[in-house]
Amino acid sequence: MKQRDIGKINKWKWAFLALVAALLAFSFVIVERISSAREATTSSSVSKNSSNDEKLGTFTTSKEQLNTMLADYLKDYQTDTFSYQVTATTQFLLFEGTYKIWGLDIPLYIYFQPNKLNDGSILLTVSEISAGTLSLPKEEILSYVKKQSQLPEFVKIDASKAAVTIRLTDIENAQKIYVKANTIDLYNNQLIFDIYRKS
């Protein structure tokens, strides 16, 4: 691989890591919000899932709320040479970035199709990766990111399937709270997560 190609792929590595960070931040915000006490409550019955963990409730959000949260979170990560945003559309989770090379602004795009898995994880299937209108090989880009990055244990990349799995139940925190994706329906603007506490 030519040296200049490695530089281009390196930009994609950081773009991908930024997207993963944004999704993780969204998950952590949910966990933090639901683990903070708001007022005194009386004891009530809680439902259990198959592993005897307590189901605490359900969190529902919309694409607009998700986009606002992502925009606020990503403000601190913009630079003069590389800026980007992550937006939920009616079909995709779209990563749009721009980096400067030889005085030109080069647009970068990654289209993810998000789906929930039976265990509550989120599957991000890469539909397309491109620089401007030039399509880039998905498997090669993801293989490079997988080899060159130290991703958290709960993020799994399958380059051969052009997919990334985010195992929400494996995210550790002091409150022993985790979320499971219940519904991810961008077209109908429904993003629903179930909230659990480990027993």
Side-chain angles (χ1 to χ4, degrees):
M1 182 178 284
K2 296 179 182 177
Q3 184 64 30
R4 62 183 174 199
D5 292 338
I6 292 174
K8 289 180 182 178
I9 292 177
N10 192 32
K11 294 290 184 183
W12 285 110
K13 176 182 87 168
W14 291 113
F16 175 78
L17 290 175
L19 176 62
V20 170
L23 290 171
L24 293 178
F26 177 68
S27 299
F28 287 133
V29 166
I30 292 172
V31 169
E32 180 63 29
R33 293 274 309 270
I34 56 106
S35 64
S36 300
R38 181 170 179 164
E39 57 190 54
T41 59
T42 58
S43 61
S44 60
S45 61
V46 293
S47 60
K48 304 273 186 175
N49 71 4
S50 59
S51 65
N52 293 326
D53 290 350
E54 298 177 56
K55 182 175 179 181
L56 303 177
T58 300
F59 178 87
T60 303
T61 189
S62 66
K63 293 193 303 283
E64 292 76 17
Q65 292 168 326
L66 176 61
N67 289 338
T68 299
M69 186 278 302
L70 290 173
D72 288 342
Y73 177 78
L74 295 175
K75 280 180 184 175
D76 295 335
Y77 295 91
Q78 310 300 311
T79 68
D80 292 337
T81 57
F82 188 58
S83 61
Y84 54 88
Q85 62 183 6
V86 179
T87 310
T89 70
T90 54
Q91 292 183 313
F92 300 102
L93 193 60
L94 172 61
F95 175 92
E96 292 181 87
T98 302
Y99 70 94
K100 292 185 183 291
I101 183 169
W102 300 316
L104 298 173
D105 289 334
I106 307 297
L108 308 173
Y109 304 96
I110 305 177
Y111 294 87
F112 290 97
Q113 180 67 52
N115 290 292
K116 81 158 186 102
L117 299 177
N118 289 335
D119 67 354
S121 298
I122 296 176
L123 178 68
L124 299 175
T125 305
V126 179
S127 298
E128 184 180 357
I129 301 176
S130 65
T133 57
L134 176 65
S135 292
L136 299 175
K138 296 180 281 191
E139 185 173 341
E140 182 179 340
I141 298 294
L142 289 178
S143 292
Y144 180 81
V145 170
K146 185 176 181 178
K147 289 176 185 174
Q148 299 298 320
S149 305
Q150 292 185 338
L151 296 171
E153 287 293 321
F154 50 83
V155 177
K156 305 293 181 188
I157 297 176
D158 187 340
S160 63
K161 293 182 180 177
V164 179
T165 303
I166 301 176
R167 300 190 183 280
L168 298 176
T169 58
D170 292 347
I171 298 175
E172 298 289 336
N173 61 74
Q175 294 81 20
K176 297 184 178 180
I177 292 176
Y178 64 91
V179 295
K180 288 185 176 184
N182 178 308
T183 303
I184 298 181
D185 185 352
L186 296 178
Y187 183 78
N188 291 307
N189 202 20
Q190 283 192 321
L191 301 167
I192 303 172
F193 297 87
D194 293 327
I195 305 158
Y196 291 90
R197 177 180 289 131
K198 294 180 181 177
S199 55

